[in-house]
Amino acid sequence: MRPARSACQRRHGGGGIHRGTRATLLRGAALLALLGAAPVAPAPPAQTAPPAPAAHRPPTAAEVLAASTATDWHLLDPQNTLYLELPAGRVVIELMPQFAPNHVANVLALARGKYFDGLAIVRSQDNYVVQWGDPEGNKKPVGTAHRTLAAEFERPLRGVSVTRLPDVDTYAAEVGFVDGFPVAADPATGRAWLVHCYGMVGAGRDNDVDSGGGTELYVVIGQAPRHLDRNVTLLGRVVSGMELLAVMPRGQGPLGRYERAEQYVPLSSMRVAADVPPAQRSNLEVLRTDTPTFLAYLEARRNRHEEWFKVPAGRVDVCNVPVPVRQSAAGAGK
């Protein structure tokens, strides 16, 4: 005997699926089949972020110099420029009377008296200095000049306009440049002095600080011997011809002195540029060190941005800022 159907079962035809529900399911199945057979449209491509603008690269030293103007440079003063003539060529020396006025005046007098003509390079010490003078030991007469002078190791800082470096120096409270020359200063004592960088020219002396006067001159050809600062009178710097001095054969005697006469390198002459006919002068100009262009050049030396460099130093030594010199079409006279 079958159990009696409930009222609900009687209304919906028992326990099967209602015809309306069955129809709905059939339509859904057909739709799913249709969707399954239809190709799926590709998703729109993901939007990529626009490339970031290239970071601004500060200029290199070469780019700073290329953008310089004529007013960023100054011609050498022929009254304070020397031409040292060697068998291999000319060495051009710029003098600095602002720091060593008496020694500069004396060396000019020696040059005009032709004291250096026929003397010789007598010393070439590796990584240190090349020195010239009288091989016979200062026996040659000095004419109207002086054989010795009071030392001029430093001068008052007052009245000196220094383009200062922002970096700490090992040897001095402050360092920078004055008219193209590397200088150091101590504001606490109010003193300033020239610095022994590559190419600087000084007056040799004996143990007595006042025993030099310019009859013997030396040029730094190695790593800056800053321990000599304020121990020797510096009076100038080589602006052209360092390649002639730096390659001198090294002396084998004490302090690099030549021990045999045939090792001496003769000096043909040393002349003041102002006394040389204009057509025979070296027409050179030097980058000024008191301009925004020099500050940009200085920063380019502190942080090198040439492609080869990967890690900028962020600082620079005063002796690692070579002041540029170039040929001038305007002539050497001011």
Side-chain angles (χ1 to χ4, degrees):
M1 175 173 147
R2 294 186 299 175
R5 293 186 296 173
S6 66
C8 181
Q9 288 174 325
R10 289 196 298 271
R11 287 196 301 270
H12 297 293
I17 298 177
H18 187 269
R19 285 176 296 183
T21 302
R22 183 182 292 113
T24 300
L25 291 175
L26 291 173
R27 286 195 299 271
L31 180 59
L32 287 173
L34 180 62
L35 290 174
V40 178
Q47 292 186 348
T48 58
H56 173 67
R57 178 181 63 77
T60 65
E63 290 167 343
V64 171
L65 297 180
S68 66
T69 65
T71 58
D72 291 318
W73 301 79
H74 73 87
L75 294 166
L76 292 177
D77 179 1
Q79 295 290 348
N80 286 300
T81 302
L82 298 173
Y83 295 154
L84 173 62
E85 304 292 352
L86 301 175
R90 173 180 286 181
V91 176
V92 182
I93 300 171
E94 181 182 19
L95 300 174
M96 187 41 152
Q98 191 175 352
F99 277 75
N102 296 329
H103 280 74
V104 167
N106 203 51
V107 170
L108 290 172
L110 290 168
R112 288 192 161 112
K114 300 184 178 181
Y115 171 80
F116 295 100
D117 297 14
L119 299 188
I121 292 176
V122 297
R123 176 187 179 196
S124 177
Q125 187 172 357
D126 189 47
N127 197 33
Y128 206 51
V129 300
V130 160
Q131 184 168 326
W132 61 86
D134 185 355
E136 301 299 323
N138 287 331
K139 294 181 179 179
K140 186 174 181 177
V142 298
T144 60
H146 302 279
R147 191 170 296 281
T148 62
L149 293 169
E152 294 178 292
F153 295 164
E154 58 185 21
R155 59 150 291 163
L157 177 58
R158 188 181 184 87
V160 177
S161 180
V162 182
T163 301
R164 290 178 171 83
L165 268 66
D167 305 306
V168 175
D169 183 73
T170 300
Y171 293 89
E174 295 180 352
V175 290
F177 290 87
V178 174
D179 293 340
F181 283 79
V183 302
D186 184 357
T189 62
R191 308 298 290 176
W193 57 93
L194 294 175
V195 169
H196 276 82
C197 294
Y198 183 78
M200 290 294 287
V201 179
R205 68 170 178 86
D206 293 325
N207 288 339
D208 183 349
V209 296
D210 297 334
S211 58
T215 56
E216 288 187 294
L217 298 174
Y218 67 87
V219 176
V220 176
I221 63 165
Q223 184 173 345
R226 294 284 305 279
H227 58 284
L228 297 180
D229 293 356
R230 291 185 290 178
N231 285 283
V232 190
T233 298
L234 289 171
L235 54 89
R237 69 184 184 112
V238 173
V239 295
S240 177
M242 273 301 297
E243 69 279 5
L244 304 178
L245 297 172
V247 299
M248 289 292 166
R250 301 306 188 240
Q252 300 304 308
L255 302 177
R257 292 190 177 276
Y258 294 138
E259 297 181 299
R260 301 187 307 275
E262 60 267 24
Q263 294 177 300
Y264 296 148
V265 178
L267 309 184
S268 301
S269 66
M270 189 155 78
R271 295 285 182 269
V272 181
D275 300 340
V276 174
Q280 299 175 22
R281 297 179 187 174
S282 296
N283 297 330
L284 301 175
E285 56 186 9
V286 181
L287 186 70
R288 290 173 51 190
T289 54
D290 60 349
T291 67
T293 293
F294 180 75
L295 293 178
Y297 171 76
L298 180 62
E299 181 58 28
R301 294 289 303 184
R302 293 181 72 242
N303 290 286
R304 304 295 295 271
H305 295 288
E306 294 86 346
E307 183 179 0
W308 186 89
F309 287 91
K310 307 306 177 187
V311 182
R315 55 187 55 81
V316 72
D317 184 88
V318 66
C319 290
N320 201 27
V321 184
V323 178
V325 179
R326 70 182 187 184
Q327 287 292 129
S328 170
K334 280 191 174 181

